[in-house]
Amino acid sequence: MGHFSNQKLIEPLALLHGKAARQAVAQGVARWFSGGPQAYALARLTGPGQEDTILPVAALPPAWEGAARRISAPAPDAGLPPGPQVMGIINVTPDSFSDGGQHDRVETALARIKMLHAAGCRMVDIGGESTRPGAPAVSAEAEWGRIGPVIRAVRACSALDGLHLSVDTRQAAVMDQALRAGATLINDVSALTHDPAARAVVARHGCPVMLMHMRGTPETMRAHTTYSDVAVDVVRELGQRVEEAVAAGIARTRILVDPGIGFAKTLEGNLILLARLPLLANLGCRVVLGTSRKRMIGELAHEPDAAARDSGTIAASLPGMVFPGVVLRVHNATAMIQAMRVQQGLDQH
Protein backbone atom coordinates (compact mmCIF):
# COMPACT_ATOMS: atom_id res chain seq x y z
CA MET A 1 0.00 0.00 0.00
CA GLY A 2 2.97 2.36 0.04
CA HIS A 3 4.40 4.56 2.73
CA PHE A 4 1.05 6.05 3.80
CA SER A 5 0.08 2.73 5.38
CA ASN A 6 2.44 3.34 8.31
CA GLN A 7 2.61 7.13 8.39
CA LYS A 8 2.10 8.81 11.77
CA LEU A 9 -1.46 10.12 12.07
CA ILE A 10 -2.66 12.71 14.57
CA GLU A 11 -6.37 12.89 15.31
CA PRO A 12 -7.19 16.35 16.74
CA LEU A 13 -9.51 16.18 19.76
CA ALA A 14 -10.97 18.71 22.20
CA LEU A 15 -11.58 21.30 19.48
CA LEU A 16 -11.97 24.94 20.47
CA HIS A 17 -13.03 28.01 18.50
CA GLY A 18 -13.21 31.76 18.85
CA LYS A 19 -11.77 33.46 21.93
CA ALA A 20 -11.14 30.15 23.74
CA ALA A 21 -9.05 28.87 20.81
CA ARG A 22 -6.97 32.05 20.68
CA GLN A 23 -6.33 31.97 24.43
CA ALA A 24 -5.44 28.27 24.48
CA VAL A 25 -2.98 28.63 21.58
CA ALA A 26 -1.38 31.69 23.20
CA GLN A 27 -0.95 29.74 26.44
CA GLY A 28 0.56 26.75 24.67
CA VAL A 29 -2.19 24.29 25.61
CA ALA A 30 -3.69 24.05 22.11
CA ARG A 31 -2.48 24.20 18.51
CA TRP A 32 -4.21 25.62 15.48
CA PHE A 33 -6.14 23.16 13.35
CA SER A 34 -5.75 23.56 9.59
CA GLY A 35 -4.80 27.23 9.92
CA GLY A 36 -7.65 28.14 12.32
CA PRO A 37 -10.06 29.46 13.52
CA GLN A 38 -10.40 26.09 15.30
CA ALA A 39 -7.70 24.78 17.64
CA TYR A 40 -7.21 21.41 19.29
CA ALA A 41 -6.06 20.69 22.85
CA LEU A 42 -5.72 16.89 22.75
CA ALA A 43 -4.30 14.53 20.13
CA ARG A 44 -4.89 10.85 19.52
CA LEU A 45 -1.74 9.30 18.04
CA THR A 46 -1.86 6.39 15.61
CA GLY A 47 1.29 5.00 14.05
CA PRO A 48 4.36 2.85 14.63
CA GLY A 49 4.82 2.26 18.37
CA GLN A 50 1.92 4.51 19.31
CA GLU A 51 -1.51 2.98 18.90
CA ASP A 52 -4.55 4.92 20.06
CA THR A 53 -2.73 7.09 22.64
CA ILE A 54 -4.37 10.38 23.70
CA LEU A 55 -2.07 13.17 24.88
CA PRO A 56 -2.30 16.91 25.55
CA VAL A 57 -0.75 18.78 22.61
CA ALA A 58 1.94 20.20 24.91
CA ALA A 59 3.07 16.61 25.58
CA LEU A 60 3.46 15.48 21.96
CA PRO A 61 6.71 13.50 21.52
CA PRO A 62 9.34 15.27 19.36
CA ALA A 63 9.07 12.52 16.73
CA TRP A 64 5.48 13.64 16.07
CA GLU A 65 6.30 17.29 15.43
CA GLY A 66 6.24 16.84 11.62
CA ALA A 67 2.74 15.36 11.79
CA ALA A 68 1.62 18.16 14.12
CA ARG A 69 2.88 20.81 11.69
CA ARG A 70 0.94 19.16 8.89
CA ILE A 71 -2.25 19.24 10.99
CA SER A 72 -1.80 22.93 11.78
CA ALA A 73 -0.98 24.10 8.25
CA PRO A 74 -3.81 25.51 6.13
CA ALA A 75 -4.70 23.30 3.17
CA PRO A 76 -4.09 24.76 -0.32
CA ASP A 77 -7.17 26.28 -2.00
CA ALA A 78 -6.56 23.92 -4.98
CA GLY A 79 -7.15 26.76 -7.45
CA LEU A 80 -10.74 27.30 -6.24
CA PRO A 81 -12.48 30.08 -4.28
CA PRO A 82 -11.07 30.21 -0.72
CA GLY A 83 -13.02 29.66 2.49
CA PRO A 84 -15.94 27.29 3.04
CA GLN A 85 -17.93 26.73 -0.15
CA VAL A 86 -21.20 25.06 -1.08
CA MET A 87 -21.12 23.02 -4.29
CA GLY A 88 -24.52 22.55 -5.89
CA ILE A 89 -25.34 19.20 -7.50
CA ILE A 90 -26.87 19.00 -10.98
CA ASN A 91 -27.65 15.46 -12.12
CA VAL A 92 -28.42 15.21 -15.84
CA THR A 93 -29.24 11.52 -15.54
CA PRO A 94 -32.53 9.68 -15.89
CA ASP A 95 -31.88 7.48 -12.84
CA SER A 96 -30.05 9.25 -9.99
CA PHE A 97 -31.41 8.24 -6.60
CA SER A 98 -32.51 11.73 -5.54
CA ASP A 99 -33.22 14.06 -8.44
CA GLY A 100 -32.69 11.96 -11.55
CA GLY A 101 -34.65 13.11 -14.56
CA GLN A 102 -35.36 16.61 -13.23
CA HIS A 103 -32.51 18.36 -15.04
CA ASP A 104 -32.09 16.20 -18.11
CA ARG A 105 -32.94 19.07 -20.46
CA VAL A 106 -30.35 21.78 -21.03
CA GLU A 107 -32.79 24.62 -20.39
CA THR A 108 -33.88 23.17 -17.06
CA ALA A 109 -30.31 22.53 -15.94
CA LEU A 110 -29.20 26.01 -16.98
CA ALA A 111 -32.07 27.66 -15.11
CA ARG A 112 -31.20 25.68 -11.99
CA ILE A 113 -27.52 26.62 -12.25
CA LYS A 114 -28.44 30.32 -12.60
CA MET A 115 -30.56 30.04 -9.46
CA LEU A 116 -27.69 28.41 -7.53
CA HIS A 117 -25.26 31.09 -8.71
CA ALA A 118 -27.65 33.87 -7.63
CA ALA A 119 -27.92 32.25 -4.19
CA GLY A 120 -24.14 32.47 -3.72
CA CYS A 121 -23.01 29.12 -5.10
CA ARG A 122 -19.60 29.43 -6.80
CA MET A 123 -19.21 25.74 -7.64
CA VAL A 124 -21.58 23.38 -9.42
CA ASP A 125 -21.02 19.63 -9.90
CA ILE A 126 -22.56 18.19 -13.07
CA GLY A 127 -23.02 14.43 -13.33
CA GLY A 128 -24.14 12.24 -16.22
CA GLU A 129 -23.70 8.85 -14.53
CA SER A 130 -25.60 7.71 -11.47
CA THR A 131 -23.35 6.30 -8.73
CA ARG A 132 -26.18 5.21 -6.45
CA PRO A 133 -25.66 1.73 -4.94
CA GLY A 134 -26.04 -0.90 -7.65
CA ALA A 135 -26.04 1.64 -10.47
CA PRO A 136 -25.07 0.22 -13.89
CA ALA A 137 -22.14 1.71 -15.82
CA VAL A 138 -22.79 4.24 -18.58
CA SER A 139 -20.78 4.55 -21.80
CA ALA A 140 -18.52 7.59 -22.24
CA GLU A 141 -20.53 8.60 -25.31
CA ALA A 142 -23.85 8.51 -23.45
CA GLU A 143 -22.38 10.35 -20.47
CA TRP A 144 -20.89 13.10 -22.64
CA GLY A 145 -24.16 13.37 -24.57
CA ARG A 146 -25.87 14.27 -21.30
CA ILE A 147 -23.37 16.71 -19.78
CA GLY A 148 -21.67 18.25 -22.83
CA PRO A 149 -24.59 20.46 -23.88
CA VAL A 150 -24.98 21.73 -20.29
CA ILE A 151 -21.29 22.67 -20.00
CA ARG A 152 -21.42 24.51 -23.33
CA ALA A 153 -24.61 26.35 -22.33
CA VAL A 154 -23.07 27.47 -19.02
CA ARG A 155 -19.92 28.71 -20.71
CA ALA A 156 -21.99 30.61 -23.29
CA CYS A 157 -23.85 32.45 -20.50
CA SER A 158 -22.00 35.64 -19.49
CA ALA A 159 -24.06 35.89 -16.28
CA LEU A 160 -22.27 32.75 -15.08
CA ASP A 161 -18.71 34.00 -15.62
CA GLY A 162 -16.57 32.93 -12.67
CA LEU A 163 -18.69 29.88 -11.85
CA HIS A 164 -16.50 26.81 -11.28
CA LEU A 165 -17.89 23.79 -13.12
CA SER A 166 -17.08 20.38 -11.67
CA VAL A 167 -17.72 17.23 -13.69
CA ASP A 168 -18.60 14.06 -11.76
CA THR A 169 -17.16 11.28 -13.92
CA ARG A 170 -14.91 8.19 -13.79
CA GLN A 171 -14.12 8.16 -17.51
CA ALA A 172 -10.98 9.77 -18.97
CA ALA A 173 -12.59 10.58 -22.32
CA VAL A 174 -15.40 12.47 -20.59
CA MET A 175 -12.89 14.31 -18.38
CA ASP A 176 -10.88 15.42 -21.40
CA GLN A 177 -13.90 16.62 -23.38
CA ALA A 178 -15.38 18.40 -20.36
CA LEU A 179 -12.16 20.25 -19.51
CA ARG A 180 -11.71 21.32 -23.13
CA ALA A 181 -15.33 22.55 -23.16
CA GLY A 182 -14.77 24.75 -20.10
CA ALA A 183 -15.15 22.58 -16.98
CA THR A 184 -12.91 23.68 -14.09
CA LEU A 185 -12.36 20.54 -12.07
CA ILE A 186 -12.91 16.79 -12.00
CA ASN A 187 -14.81 14.87 -9.33
CA ASP A 188 -13.98 11.15 -9.56
CA VAL A 189 -15.69 8.80 -7.09
CA SER A 190 -13.05 6.17 -7.96
CA ALA A 191 -10.16 8.57 -7.11
CA LEU A 192 -8.77 8.14 -10.67
CA THR A 193 -8.55 4.33 -10.39
CA HIS A 194 -11.47 3.32 -12.67
CA ASP A 195 -9.95 4.45 -15.98
CA PRO A 196 -6.21 3.83 -16.53
CA ALA A 197 -5.97 7.00 -18.65
CA ALA A 198 -7.63 9.32 -16.11
CA ARG A 199 -4.55 10.42 -14.15
CA ALA A 200 -2.72 11.41 -17.34
CA VAL A 201 -5.69 13.52 -18.50
CA VAL A 202 -5.91 15.38 -15.19
CA ALA A 203 -2.13 15.88 -15.08
CA ARG A 204 -2.09 17.25 -18.63
CA HIS A 205 -4.86 19.76 -17.98
CA GLY A 206 -3.37 20.87 -14.63
CA CYS A 207 -6.89 21.16 -13.17
CA PRO A 208 -8.11 20.62 -9.61
CA VAL A 209 -9.35 17.09 -8.90
CA MET A 210 -11.54 15.63 -6.16
CA LEU A 211 -10.43 12.15 -5.04
CA MET A 212 -13.16 10.27 -3.20
CA HIS A 213 -12.74 7.21 -1.02
CA MET A 214 -14.56 4.12 -2.22
CA ARG A 215 -13.84 0.41 -2.29
CA GLY A 216 -14.97 -1.65 -5.26
CA THR A 217 -17.38 0.06 -7.67
CA PRO A 218 -20.91 1.49 -7.26
CA GLU A 219 -22.11 -1.96 -8.36
CA THR A 220 -20.04 -3.89 -5.77
CA MET A 221 -19.22 -1.46 -2.95
CA ARG A 222 -21.73 -2.95 -0.49
CA ALA A 223 -19.49 -6.02 -0.25
CA HIS A 224 -16.52 -3.93 0.97
CA THR A 225 -17.72 -2.37 4.23
CA THR A 226 -15.43 -4.12 6.74
CA TYR A 227 -12.66 -1.98 8.28
CA SER A 228 -10.33 -2.39 11.23
CA ASP A 229 -10.84 1.31 12.10
CA VAL A 230 -12.98 3.01 9.47
CA ALA A 231 -11.68 6.56 10.06
CA VAL A 232 -8.00 5.58 10.08
CA ASP A 233 -8.40 3.16 7.16
CA VAL A 234 -10.18 5.76 5.02
CA VAL A 235 -7.43 8.33 5.66
CA ARG A 236 -4.68 5.81 4.88
CA GLU A 237 -6.41 4.55 1.71
CA LEU A 238 -7.14 8.09 0.52
CA GLY A 239 -3.53 8.99 1.27
CA GLN A 240 -2.45 6.24 -1.07
CA ARG A 241 -4.70 7.62 -3.84
CA VAL A 242 -3.14 11.06 -3.30
CA GLU A 243 0.38 9.62 -3.58
CA GLU A 244 -0.56 7.78 -6.79
CA ALA A 245 -1.97 10.98 -8.29
CA VAL A 246 1.15 12.96 -7.38
CA ALA A 247 3.36 10.23 -8.88
CA ALA A 248 1.36 10.60 -12.12
CA GLY A 249 2.22 14.30 -12.33
CA ILE A 250 -0.80 15.86 -10.61
CA ALA A 251 0.20 18.74 -8.31
CA ARG A 252 -0.56 17.95 -4.65
CA THR A 253 -1.80 21.53 -4.25
CA ARG A 254 -4.57 20.79 -6.81
CA ILE A 255 -5.96 17.73 -4.99
CA LEU A 256 -9.12 17.72 -2.87
CA VAL A 257 -10.13 14.68 -0.79
CA ASP A 258 -13.61 13.33 -0.02
CA PRO A 259 -14.15 10.59 2.63
CA GLY A 260 -16.94 9.07 0.51
CA ILE A 261 -19.87 9.03 2.91
CA GLY A 262 -22.19 6.21 1.84
CA PHE A 263 -19.65 4.56 -0.46
CA ALA A 264 -18.60 1.14 0.90
CA LYS A 265 -19.60 2.18 4.42
CA THR A 266 -22.30 0.98 6.79
CA LEU A 267 -24.51 3.40 8.73
CA GLU A 268 -22.19 2.97 11.72
CA GLY A 269 -19.13 3.54 9.54
CA ASN A 270 -20.59 6.75 8.11
CA LEU A 271 -21.34 8.09 11.59
CA ILE A 272 -17.84 7.30 12.85
CA LEU A 273 -16.34 9.07 9.83
CA LEU A 274 -18.43 12.19 10.38
CA ALA A 275 -17.51 12.26 14.07
CA ARG A 276 -13.79 11.94 13.26
CA LEU A 277 -13.44 14.13 10.16
CA PRO A 278 -10.46 16.10 11.59
CA LEU A 279 -8.28 13.02 10.88
CA LEU A 280 -8.45 14.02 7.20
CA ALA A 281 -6.13 16.96 7.95
CA ASN A 282 -3.25 14.46 7.89
CA LEU A 283 -3.58 14.42 4.09
CA GLY A 284 -2.78 18.13 3.73
CA CYS A 285 -5.51 18.58 1.09
CA ARG A 286 -8.71 20.58 0.91
CA VAL A 287 -11.70 18.52 2.06
CA VAL A 288 -14.95 17.86 0.19
CA LEU A 289 -17.92 16.44 2.11
CA GLY A 290 -20.96 14.97 0.36
CA THR A 291 -23.74 13.71 2.63
CA SER A 292 -26.66 15.07 0.65
CA ARG A 293 -29.90 13.10 0.90
CA LYS A 294 -28.03 9.84 1.45
CA ARG A 295 -29.45 6.61 2.84
CA MET A 296 -27.77 7.28 6.21
CA ILE A 297 -30.01 10.34 6.72
CA GLY A 298 -33.08 8.36 5.72
CA GLU A 299 -32.23 5.62 8.23
CA LEU A 300 -31.59 8.03 11.10
CA ALA A 301 -34.56 10.29 10.39
CA HIS A 302 -36.99 7.56 9.21
CA GLU A 303 -37.44 9.41 5.92
CA PRO A 304 -37.78 7.10 2.90
CA ASP A 305 -38.09 9.98 0.40
CA ALA A 306 -34.59 11.14 -0.61
CA ALA A 307 -35.87 14.54 -1.75
CA ALA A 308 -37.22 15.20 1.77
CA ARG A 309 -33.82 14.83 3.50
CA ASP A 310 -32.45 18.36 3.16
CA SER A 311 -32.73 19.24 6.86
CA GLY A 312 -30.83 16.07 7.75
CA THR A 313 -28.29 16.92 5.05
CA ILE A 314 -27.52 20.23 6.77
CA ALA A 315 -26.98 18.47 10.12
CA ALA A 316 -24.71 15.87 8.50
CA SER A 317 -22.73 18.51 6.56
CA LEU A 318 -21.98 20.98 9.35
CA PRO A 319 -19.26 18.77 10.95
CA GLY A 320 -17.23 19.55 7.81
CA MET A 321 -17.10 23.20 8.86
CA VAL A 322 -14.18 22.30 11.14
CA PHE A 323 -12.13 22.72 7.95
CA PRO A 324 -11.82 26.42 7.02
CA GLY A 325 -11.86 25.61 3.28
CA VAL A 326 -14.38 22.76 3.24
CA VAL A 327 -16.49 22.20 0.11
CA LEU A 328 -19.98 20.98 1.03
CA ARG A 329 -21.56 19.16 -1.92
CA VAL A 330 -25.37 19.28 -1.65
CA HIS A 331 -28.58 19.25 -3.70
CA ASN A 332 -30.23 22.14 -1.80
CA ALA A 333 -27.44 24.68 -1.97
CA THR A 334 -29.58 27.65 -0.90
CA ALA A 335 -30.42 26.13 2.49
CA MET A 336 -26.84 24.92 2.98
CA ILE A 337 -25.37 28.37 2.27
CA GLN A 338 -27.57 29.88 4.95
CA ALA A 339 -26.54 27.23 7.50
CA MET A 340 -22.87 27.62 6.53
CA ARG A 341 -22.94 31.38 7.12
CA VAL A 342 -24.53 30.95 10.55
CA GLN A 343 -21.92 28.34 11.49
CA GLN A 344 -19.14 30.71 10.34
CA GLY A 345 -20.50 33.36 12.69
CA LEU A 346 -20.63 30.92 15.60
CA ASP A 347 -17.07 29.73 14.99
CA GLN A 348 -15.66 33.24 15.35
CA HIS A 349 -16.93 33.70 18.91
Side-chain angles (χ1 to χ4, degrees), residues 60-200:
L60 282 175
W64 288 74
E65 185 57 34
R69 282 197 298 270
R70 191 166 61 247
I71 293 291
S72 290
D77 290 334
L80 298 167
Q85 299 291 330
V86 171
M87 173 180 277
I89 299 170
I90 301 288
N91 285 318
V92 281
T93 59
D95 62 345
S96 279
F97 79 102
S98 167
D99 60 353
Q102 289 183 17
H103 308 299
D104 54 0
R105 294 192 315 279
V106 174
E107 301 79 13
T108 314
L110 188 61
R112 170 93 177 134
I113 291 168
K114 286 178 177 175
M115 190 196 81
L116 292 174
H117 188 255
C121 216
R122 293 297 168 260
M123 301 182 199
V124 169
D125 191 40
I126 300 173
E129 176 195 32
S130 174
T131 52
R132 75 188 194 284
V138 176
S139 74
E141 293 75 20
E143 195 178 334
W144 178 245
R146 294 170 180 175
I147 68 172
V150 179
I151 295 171
R152 286 192 288 265
V154 170
R155 285 304 171 232
C157 178
S158 59
L160 295 174
D161 286 352
L163 179 73
H164 291 267
L165 274 182
S166 167
V167 173
D168 182 355
T169 182
R170 297 182 289 164
Q171 308 202 65
V174 176
M175 295 176 191
D176 190 46
Q177 288 173 291
L179 292 164
R180 286 193 277 114
T184 316
L185 69 152
I186 297 300
N187 173 20
D188 186 349
V189 298
S190 80
L192 303 179
T193 64
H194 173 78
D195 189 328
R199 291 182 187 129

Side-chain angles (χ1 to χ4, degrees), residues 296-307:
M296 168 191 76
I297 295 166
E299 290 183 37
L300 292 171
H302 309 295
E303 178 51 76
D305 180 5

Side-chain angles (χ1 to χ4, degrees), residues 28-79:
V29 295
R31 297 178 76 139
W32 290 118
F33 173 76
S34 202
Q38 307 258 17
Y40 67 104
L42 297 174
R44 179 186 279 126
L45 310 185
T46 300
Q50 203 90 45
E51 288 300 326
D52 211 21
T53 304
I54 296 177
L55 295 172
V57 295
L60 282 175
W64 288 74
E65 185 57 34
R69 282 197 298 270
R70 191 166 61 247
I71 293 291
S72 290
D77 290 334

Side-chain angles (χ1 to χ4, degrees), residues 127-323:
E129 176 195 32
S130 174
T131 52
R132 75 188 194 284
V138 176
S139 74
E141 293 75 20
E143 195 178 334
W144 178 245
R146 294 170 180 175
I147 68 172
V150 179
I151 295 171
R152 286 192 288 265
V154 170
R155 285 304 171 232
C157 178
S158 59
L160 295 174
D161 286 352
L163 179 73
H164 291 267
L165 274 182
S166 167
V167 173
D168 182 355
T169 182
R170 297 182 289 164
Q171 308 202 65
V174 176
M175 295 176 191
D176 190 46
Q177 288 173 291
L179 292 164
R180 286 193 277 114
T184 316
L185 69 152
I186 297 300
N187 173 20
D188 186 349
V189 298
S190 80
L192 303 179
T193 64
H194 173 78
D195 189 328
R199 291 182 187 129
V201 168
V202 171
R204 186 169 72 251
H205 282 277
C207 63
V209 62
M210 295 157 53
L211 305 182
M212 195 195 77
H213 179 273
M214 176 172 60
R215 289 174 170 180
T217 66
E219 299 95 324
T220 66
M221 61 186 178
R222 285 179 170 168
H224 301 279
T225 58
T226 302
Y227 299 83
S228 56
D229 179 325
V230 65
V232 169
D233 291 353
V234 165
V235 169
R236 293 206 188 284
E237 290 169 25
L238 258 181
Q240 189 59 25
R241 300 290 88 80
V242 171
E243 296 303 325
E244 289 162 359
V246 171
I250 298 168
R252 192 181 296 271
T253 55
R254 291 275 174 176
I255 296 173
L256 303 93
V257 292
D258 180 340
I261 300 297
F263 286 82
K265 283 96 180 172
T266 61
L267 172 61
E268 179 74 5
N270 288 321
L271 293 172
I272 292 169
L273 266 180
L274 286 172
R276 298 174 65 189
L277 283 177
L279 253 176
L280 287 165
N282 289 275
L283 300 174
C285 297
R286 194 168 186 174
V287 171
V288 179
L289 183 62
T291 66
S292 194
R293 300 180 178 175
K294 289 189 174 173
R295 176 193 297 266
M296 168 191 76
I297 295 166
E299 290 183 37
L300 292 171
H302 309 295
E303 178 51 76
D305 180 5
R309 296 173 186 166
D310 288 340
S311 299
T313 295
I314 290 173
S317 299
L318 285 175
M321 289 290 291
V322 68
F323 296 100

